[in-house]
Amino acid sequence: MTERELTAAGITDPSLRRDYAVSRRLNARHGRTYFLATRLLPPERRPAVHALYGFARWADDIVDDLSADVPPSQRAAALAAWERELADGLRTGASREPVVRALSDTARRYGIPHRHFTDFLASMRQDLDTTDYADYAALRAYMHGSAAVIGLQMVPVLGTVTAEEEAAPHAAALGVAFQLTNFVRDVGEDLDRGRVYLPADLLAARGVERDLLLWSRRTGRGDPRITAALEDAAALTRGVYREAEPGIALLDPVSRPCIRTAFALYRGILDTAATAGFPVVHRRVTVPRRRRAAVAARGAAAVGAARFRARGSASPGRRLPGTDRRAALPGEAPR
């Protein structure tokens, strides 16, 4: 499957193919929901998504290393080195790191603004010394770099039927919705890292402070105040999903099943947590395998229908407005 995707994307250089394969393995290993949805994209677009995920995963792993043998100062130095590697890679296309080489190639192919990557790393730096957020405005500022720009990076890869600027706010909101979902799901794991991402004022409105969360994590016991606060966080997150949803219709039709599937699976995490009574301080909740399979099957059926319609409506030399607008690479004919 990897070879077919790379060939469809026009990635023929053997070394670069190996670089993309590294990012694909990172996506498959760590981003189960994301990887499942990515498989619903046309093969030629998947390597770019793997490259974007691989870059984000690599940086995230640096700041989230829980090993007692890796002090914060060492993580900061590693992240700074990663930033320098990225800057050089984006400028020259060369790097010692396969993930950076794949990312720089993707950024060039799709014209992805480099500021999206630097904004992401700025939020990763924030994770090195920021352990909580006073309110949603402060958290949203952090999530611009850690989540919204992920959605913005994806827009050129997915393609649109309108100006990218019209789709961009919805794509950014979807990135934020996905991350808020992760924050609800990962409350316990984030506590182990010394962090509380849910806004302090949202928690305080239900009488919840960090000490109560730590007590619950340590003892395995629940508290109705925590449950109420998590219900509020889930309601906030559903509101952001509503901001994001209209943007799906602005995407290239062949990309919509992928994003609809990711949308359904991530939002399903909130539903699963709610049904279980929000046990997220003590354990991570996951969407049941049967439900994941059903959502994926619907997505696959939608992919087939979208590709059939695209073949039926396309004429030689015709593209949907806003889709596949990258410049031709050296040695390639414009597509």
Side-chain angles (χ1 to χ4, degrees):
M1 181 65 73
T2 304
E3 297 299 317
R4 182 169 75 89
E5 293 171 357
L6 294 169
T7 299
I11 301 167
T12 58
D13 178 80
S15 178
L16 191 57
R17 289 168 75 96
R18 290 192 292 272
D19 297 336
Y20 273 96
V22 170
S23 291
R24 187 182 189 277
R25 286 195 293 272
L26 285 170
N27 195 355
R29 185 181 311 127
H30 297 288
R32 290 187 305 169
T33 298
Y34 201 71
F35 183 75
L36 178 62
T38 301
R39 294 183 66 182
L40 299 176
L41 283 174
E44 67 271 14
R45 303 190 197 191
R46 296 175 200 166
V49 179
H50 298 321
L52 294 172
Y53 182 92
F55 158 74
R57 183 77 225 183
W58 197 280
D60 196 52
D61 282 349
I62 291 173
V63 299
D64 279 349
D65 193 330
L66 284 173
S67 172
D69 297 330
V70 183
S73 59
Q74 187 173 329
R75 290 199 291 270
L79 188 61
W82 184 245
E83 288 187 79
R84 292 191 295 271
E85 192 75 27
L86 173 68
D88 290 344
L90 290 174
R91 186 179 68 254
T92 67
S95 172
R96 295 169 296 179
E97 298 290 347
V99 168
V100 173
R101 292 194 296 269
L103 179 77
S104 63
D105 183 69
T106 287
R108 182 171 61 93
R109 286 171 180 267
Y110 287 94
I112 301 173
H114 293 180
R115 68 178 180 275
H116 294 333
F117 306 118
T118 55
D119 286 352
F120 176 81
L121 288 177
S123 286
M124 293 302 97
R125 283 198 306 274
Q126 193 171 333
D127 268 334
L128 294 172
D129 53 28
T130 301
T131 60
D132 51 41
Y133 295 86
D135 51 35
Y136 184 59
L139 181 63
R140 190 83 185 222
Y142 162 80
M143 289 191 296
H144 166 74
S146 65
V149 297
I150 303 297
L152 297 175
Q153 291 166 21
M154 287 285 292
V155 171
V157 178
L158 297 172
T160 61
V161 295
T162 185
E164 287 183 4
E165 293 76 13
E166 185 178 348
H170 301 289
L174 189 57
V176 170
F178 286 171
Q179 186 162 64
L180 284 170
T181 300
N182 288 343
F183 289 161
V184 172
R185 181 195 64 188
D186 298 340
V187 169
E189 294 176 17
D190 289 332
L191 279 170
D192 294 342
R193 297 184 175 98
R195 302 185 196 134
V196 177
Y197 284 106
L198 300 181
D201 62 346
L202 180 148
L203 296 173
R206 297 294 189 174
V208 177
E209 297 181 349
R210 180 187 288 259
D211 285 347
L212 180 61
L213 293 172
L214 289 170
W215 167 84
S216 181
R217 178 71 169 169
R218 184 178 64 252
T219 64
R221 295 170 62 183
D223 186 287
R225 292 169 293 179
I226 295 175
T227 301
L230 290 168
E231 289 171 346
D232 292 344
L236 171 67
T237 305
R238 290 190 181 97
V240 183
Y241 276 109
R242 288 192 291 273
E243 290 179 41
E245 189 167 16
I248 299 176
L250 304 181
L251 299 175
D252 183 343
V254 297
S255 295
R256 291 173 198 166
C258 165
I259 302 306
R260 287 195 187 280
T261 297
F263 186 100
L265 289 172
Y266 268 94
R267 193 169 58 177
I269 294 171
L270 293 179
D271 298 335
T272 301
T275 299
F278 290 101
V280 292
V281 176
H282 313 122
R283 62 179 177 86
R284 173 183 285 207
V285 299
T286 58
V287 177
R289 183 173 297 180
R290 181 176 297 179
R291 182 174 177 183
R292 285 165 55 87
V295 172
R298 289 196 297 271
V303 166
R307 292 179 185 174
F308 178 80
R309 287 193 297 270
R311 286 194 297 269
S313 62
S315 59
R318 178 180 178 274
R319 295 199 299 261
L320 285 168
T323 64
D324 199 19
R325 294 183 293 178
R326 70 174 179 85
L329 297 175
E332 289 185 322
R335 294 196 299 171

